[in-house]
mmCIF file of all heavy atoms in Angstrom:
data_model
loop_
_atom_site.group_PDB
_atom_site.id
_atom_site.type_symbol
_atom_site.label_atom_id
_atom_site.label_comp_id
_atom_site.label_asym_id
_atom_site.label_seq_id
_atom_site.Cartn_x
_atom_site.Cartn_y
_atom_site.Cartn_z
ATOM 1 N N GLY A 1242 0.811 -1.200 0.000
ATOM 2 C CA GLY A 1242 0.000 0.000 0.000
ATOM 3 C C GLY A 1242 0.845 1.251 0.000
ATOM 4 O O GLY A 1242 2.067 1.192 -0.176
ATOM 5 N N LEU A 1243 0.180 2.374 0.188
ATOM 6 C CA LEU A 1243 0.842 3.682 0.242
ATOM 7 C C LEU A 1243 0.879 4.147 1.689
ATOM 8 O O LEU A 1243 -0.162 4.217 2.351
ATOM 9 C CB LEU A 1243 0.079 4.685 -0.622
ATOM 10 C CG LEU A 1243 0.541 6.140 -0.552
ATOM 11 C CD1 LEU A 1243 1.970 6.262 -1.070
ATOM 12 C CD2 LEU A 1243 -0.404 7.043 -1.334
ATOM 13 N N VAL A 1244 2.093 4.442 2.166
ATOM 14 C CA VAL A 1244 2.265 4.923 3.529
ATOM 15 C C VAL A 1244 3.221 6.111 3.530
ATOM 16 O O VAL A 1244 4.002 6.287 2.596
ATOM 17 C CB VAL A 1244 2.798 3.822 4.470
ATOM 18 C CG1 VAL A 1244 1.811 2.694 4.594
ATOM 19 C CG2 VAL A 1244 4.161 3.334 4.010
ATOM 20 N N GLN A 1245 3.159 6.873 4.574
ATOM 21 C CA GLN A 1245 4.108 7.970 4.747
ATOM 22 C C GLN A 1245 5.402 7.432 5.336
ATOM 23 O O GLN A 1245 5.417 6.385 6.002
ATOM 24 C CB GLN A 1245 3.530 9.035 5.660
ATOM 25 C CG GLN A 1245 2.383 9.809 5.050
ATOM 26 C CD GLN A 1245 1.922 10.955 5.934
ATOM 27 O OE1 GLN A 1245 2.043 10.912 7.156
ATOM 28 N NE2 GLN A 1245 1.386 11.996 5.304
ATOM 29 N N ALA A 1246 6.469 8.146 5.094
ATOM 30 C CA ALA A 1246 7.749 7.772 5.686
ATOM 31 C C ALA A 1246 7.603 7.665 7.200
ATOM 32 O O ALA A 1246 6.942 8.497 7.833
ATOM 33 C CB ALA A 1246 8.811 8.808 5.332
ATOM 34 N N GLY A 1247 8.207 6.603 7.744
ATOM 35 C CA GLY A 1247 8.086 6.340 9.165
ATOM 36 C C GLY A 1247 6.980 5.368 9.514
ATOM 37 O O GLY A 1247 6.907 4.892 10.653
ATOM 38 N N GLY A 1248 6.129 5.097 8.559
ATOM 39 C CA GLY A 1248 5.023 4.180 8.789
ATOM 40 C C GLY A 1248 5.440 2.725 8.699
ATOM 41 O O GLY A 1248 6.621 2.396 8.502
ATOM 42 N N SER A 1249 4.450 1.847 8.843
ATOM 43 C CA SER A 1249 4.698 0.399 8.852
ATOM 44 C C SER A 1249 3.738 -0.314 7.921
ATOM 45 O O SER A 1249 2.626 0.162 7.673
ATOM 46 C CB SER A 1249 4.523 -0.156 10.272
ATOM 47 O OG SER A 1249 5.451 0.415 11.170
ATOM 48 N N LEU A 1250 4.193 -1.448 7.429
ATOM 49 C CA LEU A 1250 3.358 -2.354 6.653
ATOM 50 C C LEU A 1250 3.729 -3.778 7.005
ATOM 51 O O LEU A 1250 4.891 -4.071 7.330
ATOM 52 C CB LEU A 1250 3.557 -2.145 5.159
ATOM 53 C CG LEU A 1250 2.915 -0.931 4.501
ATOM 54 C CD1 LEU A 1250 3.356 -0.823 3.043
ATOM 55 C CD2 LEU A 1250 1.394 -0.997 4.569
ATOM 56 N N ARG A 1251 2.766 -4.661 6.899
ATOM 57 C CA ARG A 1251 3.019 -6.095 7.070
ATOM 58 C C ARG A 1251 2.593 -6.800 5.800
ATOM 59 O O ARG A 1251 1.401 -6.839 5.480
ATOM 60 C CB ARG A 1251 2.248 -6.655 8.251
ATOM 61 C CG ARG A 1251 2.602 -8.093 8.594
ATOM 62 C CD ARG A 1251 1.576 -8.701 9.517
ATOM 63 N NE ARG A 1251 2.052 -9.920 10.152
ATOM 64 C CZ ARG A 1251 1.231 -10.844 10.663
ATOM 65 N NH1 ARG A 1251 -0.070 -10.669 10.602
ATOM 66 N NH2 ARG A 1251 1.738 -11.914 11.230
ATOM 67 N N LEU A 1252 3.554 -7.322 5.095
ATOM 68 C CA LEU A 1252 3.278 -8.069 3.883
ATOM 69 C C LEU A 1252 3.065 -9.532 4.233
ATOM 70 O O LEU A 1252 3.714 -10.075 5.131
ATOM 71 C CB LEU A 1252 4.428 -7.942 2.886
ATOM 72 C CG LEU A 1252 4.879 -6.516 2.531
ATOM 73 C CD1 LEU A 1252 5.959 -6.567 1.441
ATOM 74 C CD2 LEU A 1252 3.716 -5.652 2.117
ATOM 75 N N SER A 1253 2.173 -10.179 3.489
ATOM 76 C CA SER A 1253 1.923 -11.605 3.656
ATOM 77 C C SER A 1253 2.089 -12.298 2.326
ATOM 78 O O SER A 1253 1.846 -11.710 1.269
ATOM 79 C CB SER A 1253 0.499 -11.844 4.176
ATOM 80 O OG SER A 1253 0.294 -11.240 5.420
ATOM 81 N N CYS A 1254 2.474 -13.549 2.392
ATOM 82 C CA CYS A 1254 2.598 -14.375 1.192
ATOM 83 C C CYS A 1254 2.048 -15.753 1.526
ATOM 84 O O CYS A 1254 2.635 -16.475 2.330
ATOM 85 C CB CYS A 1254 4.046 -14.452 0.757
ATOM 86 S SG CYS A 1254 4.349 -15.604 -0.599
ATOM 87 N N ALA A 1255 0.937 -16.085 0.908
ATOM 88 C CA ALA A 1255 0.319 -17.389 1.116
ATOM 89 C C ALA A 1255 0.731 -18.322 -0.015
ATOM 90 O O ALA A 1255 0.594 -17.977 -1.196
ATOM 91 C CB ALA A 1255 -1.192 -17.245 1.154
ATOM 92 N N ALA A 1256 1.217 -19.491 0.343
ATOM 93 C CA ALA A 1256 1.733 -20.443 -0.640
ATOM 94 C C ALA A 1256 0.897 -21.708 -0.650
ATOM 95 O O ALA A 1256 0.343 -22.118 0.375
ATOM 96 C CB ALA A 1256 3.180 -20.779 -0.329
ATOM 97 N N SER A 1257 0.823 -22.324 -1.816
ATOM 98 C CA SER A 1257 0.141 -23.614 -1.926
ATOM 99 C C SER A 1257 1.149 -24.718 -1.648
ATOM 100 O O SER A 1257 2.350 -24.483 -1.535
ATOM 101 C CB SER A 1257 -0.466 -23.770 -3.317
ATOM 102 O OG SER A 1257 0.569 -23.835 -4.286
ATOM 103 N N GLY A 1258 0.629 -25.939 -1.563
ATOM 104 C CA GLY A 1258 1.526 -27.073 -1.389
ATOM 105 C C GLY A 1258 1.434 -27.689 -0.020
ATOM 106 O O GLY A 1258 1.199 -26.999 0.975
ATOM 107 N N ARG A 1259 1.634 -28.998 0.015
ATOM 108 C CA ARG A 1259 1.516 -29.745 1.262
ATOM 109 C C ARG A 1259 2.804 -29.749 2.071
ATOM 110 O O ARG A 1259 2.802 -30.160 3.227
ATOM 111 C CB ARG A 1259 1.120 -31.191 0.955
ATOM 112 C CG ARG A 1259 -0.205 -31.337 0.251
ATOM 113 C CD ARG A 1259 -0.504 -32.808 -0.039
ATOM 114 N NE ARG A 1259 -1.760 -32.973 -0.751
ATOM 115 C CZ ARG A 1259 -2.229 -34.140 -1.147
ATOM 116 N NH1 ARG A 1259 -1.553 -35.241 -0.873
ATOM 117 N NH2 ARG A 1259 -3.369 -34.213 -1.812
ATOM 118 N N THR A 1260 3.879 -29.323 1.430
ATOM 119 C CA THR A 1260 5.179 -29.401 2.090
ATOM 120 C C THR A 1260 5.787 -28.029 2.294
ATOM 121 O O THR A 1260 7.005 -27.849 2.160
ATOM 122 C CB THR A 1260 6.134 -30.292 1.278
ATOM 123 O OG1 THR A 1260 6.254 -29.760 -0.056
ATOM 124 C CG2 THR A 1260 5.638 -31.719 1.234
ATOM 125 N N PHE A 1261 4.950 -27.053 2.620
ATOM 126 C CA PHE A 1261 5.438 -25.687 2.825
ATOM 127 C C PHE A 1261 6.539 -25.656 3.861
ATOM 128 O O PHE A 1261 7.456 -24.840 3.781
ATOM 129 C CB PHE A 1261 4.276 -24.793 3.252
ATOM 130 C CG PHE A 1261 4.663 -23.373 3.527
ATOM 131 C CD1 PHE A 1261 4.883 -22.480 2.482
ATOM 132 C CD2 PHE A 1261 4.801 -22.910 4.827
ATOM 133 C CE1 PHE A 1261 5.237 -21.160 2.735
ATOM 134 C CE2 PHE A 1261 5.155 -21.599 5.094
ATOM 135 C CZ PHE A 1261 5.371 -20.716 4.039
ATOM 136 N N ASN A 1262 6.487 -26.562 4.837
ATOM 137 C CA ASN A 1262 7.479 -26.542 5.896
ATOM 138 C C ASN A 1262 8.860 -26.999 5.438
ATOM 139 O O ASN A 1262 9.796 -27.021 6.233
ATOM 140 C CB ASN A 1262 7.011 -27.374 7.093
ATOM 141 C CG ASN A 1262 6.799 -28.822 6.731
ATOM 142 O OD1 ASN A 1262 6.882 -29.208 5.570
ATOM 143 N ND2 ASN A 1262 6.529 -29.641 7.723
ATOM 144 N N THR A 1263 8.997 -27.355 4.169
ATOM 145 C CA THR A 1263 10.316 -27.679 3.609
ATOM 146 C C THR A 1263 10.823 -26.575 2.691
ATOM 147 O O THR A 1263 11.922 -26.677 2.161
ATOM 148 C CB THR A 1263 10.304 -28.990 2.805
ATOM 149 O OG1 THR A 1263 9.515 -28.790 1.610
ATOM 150 C CG2 THR A 1263 9.712 -30.135 3.623
ATOM 151 N N TYR A 1264 10.039 -25.504 2.510
ATOM 152 C CA TYR A 1264 10.439 -24.438 1.600
ATOM 153 C C TYR A 1264 11.260 -23.388 2.320
ATOM 154 O O TYR A 1264 10.821 -22.844 3.342
ATOM 155 C CB TYR A 1264 9.232 -23.706 1.005
ATOM 156 C CG TYR A 1264 8.186 -24.527 0.289
ATOM 157 C CD1 TYR A 1264 6.950 -23.962 -0.009
ATOM 158 C CD2 TYR A 1264 8.414 -25.839 -0.089
ATOM 159 C CE1 TYR A 1264 5.970 -24.678 -0.667
ATOM 160 C CE2 TYR A 1264 7.434 -26.565 -0.749
ATOM 161 C CZ TYR A 1264 6.211 -25.985 -1.028
ATOM 162 O OH TYR A 1264 5.247 -26.701 -1.680
ATOM 163 N N ALA A 1265 12.382 -23.011 1.767
ATOM 164 C CA ALA A 1265 13.009 -21.763 2.165
ATOM 165 C C ALA A 1265 12.229 -20.642 1.483
ATOM 166 O O ALA A 1265 11.814 -20.787 0.326
ATOM 167 C CB ALA A 1265 14.468 -21.724 1.730
ATOM 168 N N MET A 1266 12.029 -19.541 2.183
ATOM 169 C CA MET A 1266 11.225 -18.452 1.636
ATOM 170 C C MET A 1266 12.022 -17.147 1.655
ATOM 171 O O MET A 1266 12.762 -16.875 2.601
ATOM 172 C CB MET A 1266 9.951 -18.273 2.446
ATOM 173 C CG MET A 1266 9.026 -19.482 2.442
ATOM 174 S SD MET A 1266 8.359 -19.863 0.810
ATOM 175 C CE MET A 1266 7.359 -18.401 0.509
ATOM 176 N N GLY A 1267 11.818 -16.367 0.605
ATOM 177 C CA GLY A 1267 12.512 -15.088 0.538
ATOM 178 C C GLY A 1267 11.590 -13.975 0.073
ATOM 179 O O GLY A 1267 10.555 -14.220 -0.536
ATOM 180 N N TRP A 1268 11.988 -12.751 0.401
ATOM 181 C CA TRP A 1268 11.330 -11.561 -0.127
ATOM 182 C C TRP A 1268 12.359 -10.772 -0.929
ATOM 183 O O TRP A 1268 13.495 -10.540 -0.474
ATOM 184 C CB TRP A 1268 10.805 -10.678 1.006
ATOM 185 C CG TRP A 1268 9.557 -11.175 1.669
ATOM 186 C CD1 TRP A 1268 9.466 -11.907 2.817
ATOM 187 C CD2 TRP A 1268 8.216 -10.969 1.223
ATOM 188 N NE1 TRP A 1268 8.157 -12.178 3.108
ATOM 189 C CE2 TRP A 1268 7.355 -11.597 2.153
ATOM 190 C CE3 TRP A 1268 7.633 -10.303 0.136
ATOM 191 C CZ2 TRP A 1268 5.965 -11.589 2.027
ATOM 192 C CZ3 TRP A 1268 6.261 -10.284 0.001
ATOM 193 C CH2 TRP A 1268 5.435 -10.925 0.944
ATOM 194 N N PHE A 1269 11.954 -10.381 -2.109
ATOM 195 C CA PHE A 1269 12.770 -9.558 -2.990
ATOM 196 C C PHE A 1269 11.934 -8.370 -3.437
ATOM 197 O O PHE A 1269 10.711 -8.413 -3.392
ATOM 198 C CB PHE A 1269 13.229 -10.359 -4.214
ATOM 199 C CG PHE A 1269 14.201 -11.469 -3.893
ATOM 200 C CD1 PHE A 1269 13.754 -12.666 -3.370
ATOM 201 C CD2 PHE A 1269 15.555 -11.305 -4.120
ATOM 202 C CE1 PHE A 1269 14.644 -13.696 -3.060
ATOM 203 C CE2 PHE A 1269 16.459 -12.320 -3.831
ATOM 204 C CZ PHE A 1269 16.000 -13.511 -3.299
ATOM 205 N N ARG A 1270 12.607 -7.331 -3.887
ATOM 206 C CA ARG A 1270 11.872 -6.162 -4.380
ATOM 207 C C ARG A 1270 12.499 -5.665 -5.672
ATOM 208 O O ARG A 1270 13.677 -5.925 -5.949
ATOM 209 C CB ARG A 1270 11.846 -5.057 -3.338
ATOM 210 C CG ARG A 1270 13.192 -4.464 -2.996
ATOM 211 C CD ARG A 1270 13.064 -3.534 -1.781
ATOM 212 N NE ARG A 1270 14.330 -2.869 -1.455
ATOM 213 C CZ ARG A 1270 14.525 -2.142 -0.361
ATOM 214 N NH1 ARG A 1270 13.540 -1.981 0.533
ATOM 215 N NH2 ARG A 1270 15.700 -1.573 -0.156
#
């Protein structure tokens, strides 16, 4: 979203798959 400097955001990423607990996960921009 759009926020002012100093603000906060919480991004989420929901993944499919039965073995999510074996995935390494990363965030890139």
Side-chain angles (χ1 to χ4, degrees):
L1243 173 63
V1244 296
Q1245 290 186 332
S1249 298
L1250 284 174
R1251 187 195 196 201
L1252 307 184
S1253 299
C1254 173
S1257 66
R1259 299 179 182 178
T1260 58
F1261 178 78
N1262 61 354
T1263 68
Y1264 305 166
M1266 298 296 295
W1268 284 96
F1269 293 79
R1270 65 189 183 188

